[in-house]
C-alpha cells in the first residue's frame, strides 16, 4: 500500500451541487446518490467522523465532494489498484487521504488496523463476489451505529460482472433482514451469518443505493501470534503491552516414542513443535470478564483465546462475528484496585482444563512479581468472590506453584484493572508444549506430595503400575470397562480413581508410578505429575482427538501406546461435534486384545 495526503477546499452546503461541480457519478447528473448521502450523514454522522471509501475509477470524486461539503470529515479513499486516479483533484483536498490497495482483502486489513469507522462506502461496479465479500468482511470495522453504503446495485445484473452463482449483495441483505429465523445453530453460520443478521439495525434501499446501519460494538480478536503484527500494533497504538520478559521462539522435538493401533493419526502425537516466543507482558487499563475474556480498547486480547493457534479464534463466552471479530461485552465493569497476574480459564471448573492451562501459565508469575512485589492472581468463579467459591483443586495447585491463598483474587463479574500482567502459555492443547514446563510440573508435584495432607488411601499402598479408571456417569464411557480393567488387574495393575484422593495423594500416586494406563481424558492428565520417561497406555474412542496426553509425554519422554476404539457417535463427515468427542465406546478384544496383552507384557 502507498499513502498520499491530499487537500480540499469548501464549495457549498449542498453535497449534490459539489458533486456535479467535481463530476462525481453519485451526483444527480448520473446516479443521484448524493441527496441520500447528505440526508443520512446529517442524521447519523457526527463531526470529525471517519469515512472509508472503497472504489476504483471516479471514486476520488465522491471523496473530494464529501471532503469539500464537510471539511470536518476524515475521508480515506481505498483506491483499487490498476484504475485511473485524478491526482490533481485529490491534491486539492486536505481532508482526503488516498491509500492504494490491490484487493478487497487489502482494504479489510487497512480498515482493521485503524480501528472503528463511522461510515464505509463500497463505491463502483465491483464484481458480484467482491460486493458480497466486501459487505460481509468490511461491515465489522464499523462502530456501533455506523453506516455501510453499497453503490451500483444494478451492477449485479451486468453479465461481465456476474462472476458467481451465489446470491448478490442485495439478495443477501434482504435475506439477512427478512428471515433471521432460518439461521442454523452451526458454528460457521453462528459466527459469520447469524451475527451479521442480528447486527443489522436497518437496511434502506434508494434506487440502486443501499444503506445498512450496524448494531452492536464488535472487537477484533487478537492471538499470541498476531499481537506483534503491524495491523494489531497500529490498532492498539499506545495501548500496546509492555514486554517485561521474552524468550525467543524455538523448535522443540518430542522426547516421546508413540505407537498406535490405528494408522493415520500422526497429527495427534506430533514429532516436533514450533514453540512461540514466550513473553511476560503488562497491560494498562484492561477490562476483564469471567471465564477468560480480556478487553483492551477495541480488541479482545490474546489472553481470551486458549486455542490461539486455530485459524478461527473462539471462546464459548463470545458471540462470534467470523474469524476476526466478536461482539463486544455490554455490561460495564466495576473498578478493581491493585495489580494482578491473569490466570483465569474459560473452563475454570473443569479439572483437566485448569490443570493444563493454569499450570501452563504460572511460570510467568515469579517474573512479573519481580517488577510488582504486591502482585496478586486473578481467577473467576460463577459462584461468588470468595476462595471457597473456587473448585478446591484451583487454590491447591496455585499454592503448590508458590502462590498463597492471600494472593488470590476471585471475581464473578466484569472488572476494570489498572494493570494486568500475563504470559504466553507453555502448554497449549492442539498447539505445542514448551520444554521448560517440566520444571513447573516437577515443582508443583513436589510441593503437593510434601504437604502432608492425605485422602482415603495413601499412594504408598499402590504399586508402580496403575490403571486410571473414569468416574461413573462421565462422558467417554467404556461399555466393557469391567473386562478391560480385569485384564489390567490380572497383569499387576492397580485400578485407581484419582478424583477420590486428595491432591497430595494423587501427586504421590503418579510420581511413584513407572507405567500409567487408562482411558483418555482428564484422569490421565495427572501423568504430568509423573517422573520423566514413564510408559503410558491410552484407551479411547477414535473420536477423542485431544492431544493432552501426547503433549505431556512429549515433554516428559517415554513410550506411549494408543488403542483407539470404534465410537458409537462418529464425528460429522466434515466437522467436529462435542457428542462424538465424548462418545461411548467398546474395546474390541477380538481385534486388539492380543496387541494390548503383548504391550502389557512388554512394559
Amino acid at each position: 500500500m502507498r499513502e498520499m495526503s491530499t487537500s480540499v477546499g469548501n464549495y457549498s452546503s449542498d453535497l449534490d451541487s459539489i458533486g456535479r461541480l467535481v463530476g462525481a457519478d453519485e451526483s444527480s447528473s448520473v446516479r443521484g446518490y448524493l441527496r441520500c448521502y447528505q440526508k443520512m450523514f446529517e442524521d447519523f454522522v457526527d463531526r470529525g467522523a471517519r469515512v472509508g471509501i472503497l472504489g476504483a475509477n471516479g471514486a476520488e470524486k465522491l471523496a473530494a465532494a464529501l471532503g469539500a461539503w464537510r471539511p470536518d470529515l476524515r475521508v480515506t479513499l481505498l483506491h483499487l489498484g490498476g484504475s485511473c486516479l485524478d491526482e490533481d483533484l485529490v491534491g486539492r483536498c486536505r481532508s482526503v487521504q488516498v491509500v492504494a490497495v490491490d484487493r478487497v482483502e487489502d482494504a479489510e486489513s487497512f480498515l482493521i488496523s485503524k480501528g472503528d469507522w463511522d461510515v464505509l462506502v463500497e463505491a463502483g461496479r465491483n464484481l458480484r463476489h467482491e460486493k458480497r465479500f466486501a459487505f460481509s468482511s468490511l461491515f465489522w470495522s464499523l462502530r456501533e451505529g455506523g453506516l455501510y453504503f453499497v453503490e451500483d446495485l444494478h451492477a449485479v445484473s451486468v453479465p461481465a460482472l456476474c462472476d458467481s452463482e451465489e446470491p448478490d449483495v442485495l439478495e443477501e441483505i434482504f435475506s439477512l433482514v427478512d428471515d433471521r429465523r432460518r439461521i442454523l445453530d452451526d458454528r460457521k453460520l453462528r459466527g459469520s451469518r447469524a451475527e451479521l443478521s442480528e447486527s443489522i439495525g436497518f437496511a434502506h434501499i434508494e434506487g440502486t443505493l443501499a444503506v445498512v446501519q450496524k448494531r452492536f460494538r464488535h472487537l477484533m480478536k487478537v492471538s499470541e501470534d498476531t499481537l506483534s503484527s503491524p495491523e494489531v500494533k497500529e490498532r492498539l497504538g499506545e495501548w500496546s503491552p509492555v514486554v517485561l520478559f521474552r524468550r525467543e521462539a524455538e523448535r522443540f522435538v518430542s522426547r516421546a516414542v508413540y505407537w498406535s493401533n490405528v494408522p493415520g493419526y500422526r497429527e495427534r502425537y506430533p514429532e516436533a513443535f514450533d514453540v512461540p516466543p514466550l513473553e511476560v507482558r503488562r497491560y494498562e487499563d484492561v477490562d476483564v470478564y469471567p471465564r477468560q475474556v480480556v478487553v483492551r480498547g477495541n480488541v479482545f486480547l490474546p489472553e481470551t483465546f486458549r486455542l490461539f493457534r486455530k485459524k478461527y479464534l473462539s471462546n464459548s463466552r463470545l458471540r462470534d462475528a467470523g474469524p476476526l471479530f466478536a461482539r463486544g461485552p455490554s455490561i460495564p465493569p466495576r473498578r478493581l484496585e491493585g495489580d494482578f497476574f491473569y490466570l483465569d480459564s474459560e473452563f475454570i471448573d473443569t479439572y483437566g482444563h485448569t490443570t493444563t492451562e493454569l499450570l501452563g501459565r504460572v511460570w510467568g508469575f515469579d517474573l512479573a512479581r519481580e517488577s510488582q512485589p504486591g502482585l496478586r492472581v486473578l481467577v473467576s468463579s460463577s459462584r461468588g468472590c470468595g476462595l471457597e467459591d473456587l473448585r478446591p483443586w484451583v487454590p491447591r495447585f496455585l499454592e503448590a506453584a508458590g502462590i498463597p491463598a492471600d494472593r488470590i483474587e476471585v471475581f464473578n463479574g466484569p472488572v476494570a484493572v489498572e494493570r494486568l500482567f500475563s504470559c504466553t502459555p507453555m502448554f497449549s492443547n492442539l498447539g505445542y508444549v514448551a520444554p521448560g514446563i517440566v520444571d513447573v510440573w516437577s515443582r508443583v508435584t513436589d510441593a503437593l506430595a510434601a504437604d502432608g495432607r492425605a485422602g482415603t488411601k495413601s499412594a504408598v499402598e499402590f504399586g508402580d503400575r496403575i490403571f486410571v479408571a473414569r468416574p461413573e456417569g462421565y462422558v467417554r464411557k467404556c461399555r466393557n470397562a469391567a473386562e478391560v480393567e480385569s485384564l489390567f488387574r490380572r497383569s499387576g495393575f492397580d485400578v485407581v480413581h484419582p478424583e477420590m484422593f486428595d491432591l497430595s495423594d494423587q501427586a504421590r500416586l503418579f510420581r511413584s508410578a513407572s507405567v500409567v494406563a487408562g482411558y483418555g481424558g482428564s484422569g490421565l492428565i495427572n501423568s504430568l505429575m509423573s517422573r520423566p520417561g514413564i510408559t503410558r497406555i491410552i484407551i479411547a474412542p477414535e473420536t477423542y482427538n485431544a492431544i493432552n496426553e501426547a503433549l505431556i509425554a512429549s515433554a516428559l519422554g517415554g513410550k506411549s501406546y494408543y488403542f483407539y476404539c470404534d465410537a458409537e457417535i462418529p464425528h460429522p463427515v466434515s466437522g467436529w461435534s462435542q457428542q462424538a468427542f465424548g462418545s461411548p465406546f467398546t474395546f474390541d478384544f477380538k481385534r486388539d486384545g492380543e496387541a494390548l496383552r503383548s504391550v502389557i507384557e512388554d512394559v
Side-chain angles (χ1 to χ4, degrees):
M1 295 184 186
R2 58 179 173 80
E3 295 191 10
M4 177 175 62
S5 297
T6 57
S7 60
V8 75
N10 193 2
Y11 303 110
S12 164
S13 61
D14 179 62
L15 178 58
D16 187 61
S17 298
I18 300 173
R20 291 198 306 270
L21 184 63
V22 300
D25 283 353
E26 289 83 1
S27 72
S28 56
S29 300
V30 186
R31 305 273 190 251
Y33 299 156
L34 292 186
R35 290 193 177 96
C36 181
Y37 277 117
Q38 181 163 343
K39 170 64 176 171
M40 302 300 291
F41 272 59
E42 288 173 345
D43 289 347
F44 294 99
V45 180
D46 297 329
R47 296 186 62 83
R50 294 200 303 162
V51 180
I53 301 173
L54 174 67
N57 298 340
E60 71 273 14
K61 297 174 182 178
L62 171 62
L66 287 172
W69 172 61
R70 286 268 298 268
D72 60 288
L73 297 177
R74 294 171 291 165
V75 181
T76 300
L77 171 60
L78 300 167
H79 191 251
L80 287 166
S83 56
C84 298
L85 175 69
D86 187 342
E87 297 193 13
D88 181 61
L89 175 64
V90 295
R92 292 182 279 113
C93 303
R94 287 195 195 92
S95 61
V96 177
Q97 178 191 42
V98 178
V99 177
V101 296
D102 294 327
R103 305 171 303 156
V104 176
E105 289 86 347
D106 297 329
E108 179 186 30
S109 297
F110 177 84
L111 294 174
I112 288 173
S113 71
K114 300 297 183 182
D116 298 334
W117 293 75
D118 299 280
V119 177
L120 293 176
V121 180
E122 188 257 295
R125 303 171 72 183
N126 295 315
L127 297 172
R128 176 189 288 238
H129 91 275
E130 290 176 329
K131 297 181 82 68
R132 179 173 169 137
F133 174 77
F135 174 68
S136 64
S137 59
L138 306 187
F139 187 74
W140 304 117
S141 290
L142 284 170
R143 65 166 174 83
E144 184 174 5
L147 301 176
Y148 188 95
F149 291 84
V150 186
E151 291 188 356
D152 293 348
L153 292 174
H154 63 285
V156 300
S157 62
V158 176
L161 301 177
C162 293
D163 64 334
S164 169
E165 296 297 324
E166 293 183 344
D168 60 55
V169 66
L170 183 59
E171 293 172 322
E172 174 74 349
I173 292 171
F174 280 146
S175 174
L176 290 165
V177 172
D178 293 340
D179 195 9
R180 296 181 180 181
R181 292 172 299 175
R182 70 189 179 88
I183 304 302
L184 303 175
D185 186 19
D186 173 85
R187 172 167 294 197
K188 181 179 179 181
L189 295 176
R190 186 166 61 244
S192 61
R193 186 167 178 79
E195 183 65 7
L196 185 57
S197 173
E198 297 243 347
S199 299
I200 293 176
F202 67 74
H204 174 72
I205 308 300
E206 186 90 8
T208 58
L209 176 70
V211 187
V212 183
Q213 187 186 43
K214 181 174 176 291
R215 300 171 64 204
F216 311 127
R217 177 178 177 236
H218 291 87
L219 312 183
M220 181 185 180
K221 303 174 186 177
V222 176
S223 76
E224 291 277 347
D225 290 334
T226 60
L227 183 60
S228 60
S229 68
E231 292 83 3
V232 172
K233 281 187 173 181
E234 186 169 2
R235 187 179 178 96
L236 284 171
E238 62 181 15
W239 296 344
S240 295
V242 176
V243 177
L244 305 176
F245 170 86
R246 178 181 172 90
R247 180 179 297 157
E248 294 302 324
E250 63 177 310
R251 180 78 167 168
F252 173 50
V253 178
S254 173
R255 297 164 176 163
V257 176
Y258 302 101
W259 176 91
S260 172
N261 68 325
V262 178
Y265 284 162
R266 293 301 301 169
E267 74 280 358
R268 299 186 181 184
Y269 20 87
E271 296 179 355
F273 307 93
D274 291 317
V275 181
L278 299 179
E279 292 184 345
V280 177
R281 299 182 289 268
R282 184 186 73 228
Y283 298 99
E284 305 288 336
D285 296 324
V286 174
D287 294 339
V288 183
Y289 296 78
R291 304 301 177 97
Q292 202 172 341
V293 176
V294 187
V295 173
R296 182 65 176 91
N298 55 7
V299 305
F300 289 107
L301 293 173
E303 288 69 19
T304 305
F305 307 106
R306 59 188 185 87
L307 302 179
F308 68 86
R309 283 285 172 88
K310 294 181 70 174
K311 185 176 181 180
Y312 196 114
L313 295 174
S314 64
N315 180 304
S316 61
R317 312 299 289 184
L318 301 184
R319 297 195 62 159
D320 280 330
L324 298 179
F325 288 89
R327 188 188 299 186
S330 58
I331 303 175
R334 65 177 176 86
R335 189 70 178 176
L336 185 61
E337 299 297 331
D339 301 303
F340 298 94
F341 189 85
Y342 193 63
L343 282 179
D344 200 19
S345 170
E346 183 179 352
F347 302 105
I348 191 66
D349 291 335
T350 304
Y351 182 83
H353 282 280
T354 55
T355 304
T356 55
E357 293 161 17
L358 184 147
L359 293 184
R361 288 180 284 151
V362 297
W363 71 271
F365 178 77
D366 290 337
L367 290 170
R369 188 166 50 181
E370 291 177 5
S371 65
Q372 202 65 39
L375 194 63
R376 290 178 286 166
V377 302
L378 197 58
V379 183
S380 74
S381 171
S382 59
R383 289 173 292 278
C385 295
L387 203 63
E388 68 279 2
D389 296 310
L390 295 173
R391 294 298 186 191
W393 59 77
V394 175
R396 290 289 302 280
F397 273 121
L398 291 177
E399 181 184 8
I403 304 170
D406 60 4
R407 291 287 186 111
I408 302 173
E409 181 77 28
V410 184
F411 70 106
N412 69 341
V415 293
V417 177
E418 183 179 2
R419 280 180 294 273
L420 186 74
F421 296 77
S422 69
C423 67
T424 310
M426 278 191 171
F427 186 103
S428 177
N429 194 7
L430 302 184
Y432 64 88
V433 62
I437 201 170
V438 174
D439 294 334
V440 175
W441 292 340
S442 178
R443 175 162 56 98
V444 168
T445 303
D446 288 348
L448 287 172
D451 74 1
R453 279 171 268 196
T456 57
K457 191 172 185 179
S458 173
V460 298
E461 298 179 40
F462 292 109
D464 67 346
R465 292 153 66 91
I466 59 174
F467 183 93
V468 181
R470 288 184 70 76
E472 189 64 33
Y474 271 44
V475 298
R476 220 169 295 118
K477 179 180 179 63
C478 180
R479 298 295 192 192
N480 58 344
E483 189 178 356
V484 171
E485 292 163 21
S486 175
L487 170 63
F488 278 91
R489 282 194 183 94
R490 294 195 306 269
S491 302
F493 282 74
D494 288 306
V495 176
V496 298
H497 290 266
E499 70 279 359
M500 297 178 63
F501 308 142
D502 183 84
L503 273 180
S504 59
D505 277 339
Q506 293 185 46
R508 289 190 284 268
L509 170 67
F510 280 86
R511 193 175 63 173
S512 63
S514 62
V515 182
V516 175
Y519 306 114
S522 58
L524 283 185
I525 287 175
N526 269 353
S527 64
L528 60 82
M529 301 179 184
S530 302
R531 295 170 295 174
I534 69 162
T535 298
R536 297 169 179 80
I537 303 173
I538 301 99
I539 299 173
E542 60 185 354
T543 50
Y544 176 68
N545 61 340
I547 63 170
N548 287 313
E549 294 91 352
L551 290 172
I552 294 168
S554 294
L556 291 174
K559 293 182 178 180
S560 291
Y561 297 89
Y562 283 84
F563 287 88
Y564 287 109
C565 309
D566 294 337
E568 294 180 12
I569 305 173
H571 284 301
V573 175
S574 58
W576 184 93
S577 76
Q578 186 68 46
Q579 293 78 13
F581 182 69
S583 172
F585 65 96
T586 300
F587 183 83
D588 190 338
F589 275 94
K590 184 176 181 180
R591 183 187 69 187
D592 297 317
E594 184 177 345
L596 178 59
R597 294 185 187 92
S598 178
V599 167
I600 292 174
E601 182 178 344
D602 287 344
V603 302

